[in-house]
């Protein structure tokens, strides 16, 4: 198994249909908890198993996750409910839970999702979207150039081969562009090939766009919605994060992911808390 497969692994609990056991690994930490995209991908794997079994719809099409409390390394469980199965889509919900120190059950993440079969999707594309123009991979900046205080609390970065566009890494030198944009090339360090579940993780894998605004620190996700548009081709992914409005202590972060065939394979928007 690859690191990503291990990090998102779930096991059916005997005699409890729709209940899965999992282990949140410390290597996926970012800031104060486990990376939100990794949690969404883990819940997404459980959803795919259940909805694939009930309705023959194994792949994510649209997911919205609400982050209720910070997760931590250790055992977790995912409770999946199959809500409806149609010809094209199945709808389900998932709740990711952990045990608190006092033994009580604490909900970390709740997801509502639509699943389908992307291999049978209509291949016609009509779009005005254009892939980002990035410098060649070898001319981009590795994630080891991030601020030391960020690297110290970002075990996640060791799982990635991330190369950022030099035009938007001025924040690493104390000179953020102020545009609220970060973009670059992404692949998994262990060679895990892009797939629909990896896209759920990748939309939350880059440093937060607040860095490009000169704001450093943990940027916890409140809500994250992902639309998976196609099965990604093998190779590097190009990931673009941007924000247009920081107000009231929150900001939105929009993401696009393009594959090696210049196909827009995923889009997302999240609401996050501005770092203090």
């Amino acid at each position: 198994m690859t690191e990503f497969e291990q990090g998102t692994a779930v096991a059916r609990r005997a005699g409890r249909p729709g209940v899965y056991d999992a282990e949140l690994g410390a290597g996926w930490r970012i800031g104060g908890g486990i990376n939100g995209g990794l949690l969404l991908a883990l819940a997404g794997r459980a959803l795919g198993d259940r909805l694939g079994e009930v309705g023959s719809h194994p792949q994510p099409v649209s997911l919205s996750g609400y982050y209720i409390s910070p997760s931590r390394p250790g055992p977790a469980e995912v409770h999946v409910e199959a809500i409806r199965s149609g010809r094209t889509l199945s709808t389900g919900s998932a709740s990711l839970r952990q045990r608190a120190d006092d033994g009580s059950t604490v909900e970390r993440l709740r997801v509502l999702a639509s699943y389908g079969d992307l291999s049978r999707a209509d291949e016609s594309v009509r779009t005005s979207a254009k892939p980002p123009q990035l410098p060649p991979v070898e001319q981009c900046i590795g994630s080891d150039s991030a601020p030391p205080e960020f690297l110290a609390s970002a075990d996640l970065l060791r799982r990635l081969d991330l190369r950022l566009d030099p035009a938007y890494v001025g924040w690493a030198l104390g000179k953020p562009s102020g545009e609220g944009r970060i973009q670059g090339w992404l692949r998994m360090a262990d060679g895990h090939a892009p797939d629909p579940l990896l896209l759920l993780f990748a939309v939350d894998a880059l440093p937060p766009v607040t860095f490009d605004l000169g704001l450093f620190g943990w940027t916890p996700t409140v809500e994250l919605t992902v639309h998976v548009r196609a099965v990604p081709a093998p190779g590097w992914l190009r990931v673009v994060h941007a924000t247009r409005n920081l107000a009231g202590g929150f900001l939105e972060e929009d993401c696009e992911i393009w594959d090696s065939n210049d196909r827009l394979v995923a889009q997302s928007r999240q609401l996050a808390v501005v770092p203090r």
Side-chain angles (χ1 to χ4, degrees), residues 130-141 162-169 181-186 206 236-241 256-259 262:
K130 298 186 183 303
Q133 299 302 306
L134 297 177
V137 172
E138 60 274 12
Q139 295 179 18
C140 290
I141 308 298
L162 176 61
R163 315 291 180 87
L164 298 177
D165 185 342
Y168 298 101
V169 295
R181 186 180 183 92
I182 292 180
Q183 59 187 27
W185 301 89
L186 174 67
L206 266 61
W236 287 92
L237 298 171
R238 283 162 291 172
V239 185
V240 181
H241 281 230
E256 291 182 355
I257 300 182
W258 296 77
D259 72 2
D262 284 345

Side-chain angles (χ1 to χ4, degrees), residues 26-275:
W28 301 95
R29 284 185 295 188
I30 187 81
I34 305 297
N35 171 263
L38 190 280
L39 296 177
L40 193 65
L42 187 149
R45 190 177 295 280
L47 279 159
D49 182 81
R50 183 64 176 156
L51 298 180
E53 178 184 47
V54 173
S56 299
H57 295 132
Q59 293 170 317
V61 174
S62 178
L63 292 88
S64 291
Y66 286 82
Y67 294 80
I68 299 168
S69 61
S71 57
R72 62 188 184 185
E77 56 188 44
V78 184
H79 292 244
V80 176
E81 178 187 359
I83 298 172
R84 179 185 180 274
S85 256
R87 269 196 294 182
T88 304
L89 294 171
S90 290
T91 302
S93 64
S95 172
L96 191 152
R97 308 169 188 177
Q98 288 187 296
R99 293 284 182 185
D101 292 336
D102 62 4
S104 63
T105 299
V106 180
E107 188 170 22
R108 304 301 193 193
L109 170 67
R110 185 172 296 190
V111 180
L112 186 63
S114 294
Y115 269 59
D117 185 348
L118 295 173
S119 67
R120 299 186 300 186
D122 184 352
E123 289 298 315
S124 64
V125 177
R126 297 174 178 83
T127 181
S128 61
K130 298 186 183 303
Q133 299 302 306
L134 297 177
V137 172
E138 60 274 12
Q139 295 179 18
C140 290
I141 308 298
S143 56
D144 54 356
S145 298
E149 63 272 18
F150 181 70
L151 290 173
S153 59
D155 295 326
L156 166 75
L157 292 180
R158 288 194 284 271
R159 316 275 83 77
L160 309 177
D161 187 354
L162 176 61
R163 315 291 180 87
L164 298 177
D165 185 342
Y168 298 101
V169 295
W171 43 268
L173 302 174
K175 298 179 180 180
S177 79
E179 292 184 33
R181 186 180 183 92
I182 292 180
Q183 59 187 27
W185 301 89
L186 174 67
R187 64 183 178 184
M188 301 306 291
D190 66 357
H192 181 92
D195 57 32
L197 277 181
L198 183 65
L199 298 177
L200 302 183
F201 164 67
V203 298
D204 194 40
L206 266 61
V209 293
T210 47
F211 282 15
D212 194 45
L213 298 174
L215 300 170
F216 301 106
W218 189 31
T219 310
T221 302
V222 176
E223 186 270 345
L224 172 60
T225 294
V226 185
H227 298 156
V228 178
R229 311 308 301 271
V231 176
W236 287 92
L237 298 171
R238 283 162 291 172
V239 185
V240 181
H241 281 230
T243 185
R244 295 187 302 168
N245 190 43
L246 186 157
F250 299 92
L251 76 154
E252 91 289 343
E253 188 169 275
D254 292 322
C255 176
E256 291 182 355
I257 300 182
W258 296 77
D259 72 2
S260 57
N261 287 341
D262 284 345
R263 182 88 182 262
L264 180 60
V265 292
Q267 298 166 274
S268 75
R269 167 168 283 192
Q270 68 171 282
L271 184 70
V273 180
V274 174

